[in-house]
Amino acid sequence: MNEDIVFFEEYYDIIVVTGIRLVTELNFFKKKFNGILIKIEKDDYDNGLTLAQKSDITETDIDNFEDFDYVIKNNESIETLKQEVIKMIRSEENEY
């Protein structure tokens, strides 16, 4: 995956990557691209995985990662989630 992102870097100013599951990947994006790390959480979400699957490193590795730039709670409507994302984007626009 990292090689794909490095390739696209030549063509785009903004790249959105979803589903990052490992701290090494988060650190790669933060360091290589000065990336903005966003975590979207939903309390009491049942993803339907078995206990063994939930214990896999790809499901647990980022649980204690604390270097996210934003943590957005997704406990309400999709409209509320959109508003939180828009607020985050505006905050970033003001930085540049």
Side-chain angles (χ1 to χ4, degrees):
M1 173 177 59
N2 296 347
E3 297 83 16
D4 294 334
I5 302 305
V6 170
F7 171 79
F8 286 117
E9 168 187 36
E10 299 297 320
Y11 301 98
Y12 300 99
D13 293 329
I14 297 173
I15 300 171
V16 176
V17 179
T18 63
I20 293 178
R21 299 183 175 277
L22 300 172
V23 170
T24 55
E25 294 172 332
L26 292 169
N27 287 329
F28 170 80
F29 287 106
K30 189 73 168 180
K31 290 178 182 149
K32 171 75 176 152
F33 304 105
N34 194 28
I36 299 168
L37 301 179
I38 305 161
K39 182 177 186 181
I40 299 177
E41 298 180 327
K42 185 171 185 82
D43 295 334
D44 300 323
Y45 176 70
D46 181 9
N47 57 12
L49 298 177
T50 66
L51 287 177
Q53 291 168 325
K54 288 179 183 180
S55 298
D56 188 83
I57 192 168
T58 60
E59 296 298 324
T60 62
D61 198 38
I62 67 169
D63 288 351
N64 296 314
F65 185 80
E66 296 183 3
D67 199 22
F68 289 101
D69 297 289
Y70 297 92
V71 177
I72 298 174
K73 291 288 189 179
N74 182 24
N75 292 321
E76 298 181 36
S77 68
I78 191 72
E79 189 57 40
T80 302
L81 177 59
K82 286 179 188 178
Q83 292 304 315
E84 289 298 315
V85 171
I86 289 168
K87 186 175 11 173
M88 182 269 311
I89 291 169
R90 288 186 178 141
S91 172
E92 285 299 314
E93 286 177 334
N94 290 335
E95 294 291 319
Y96 297 97

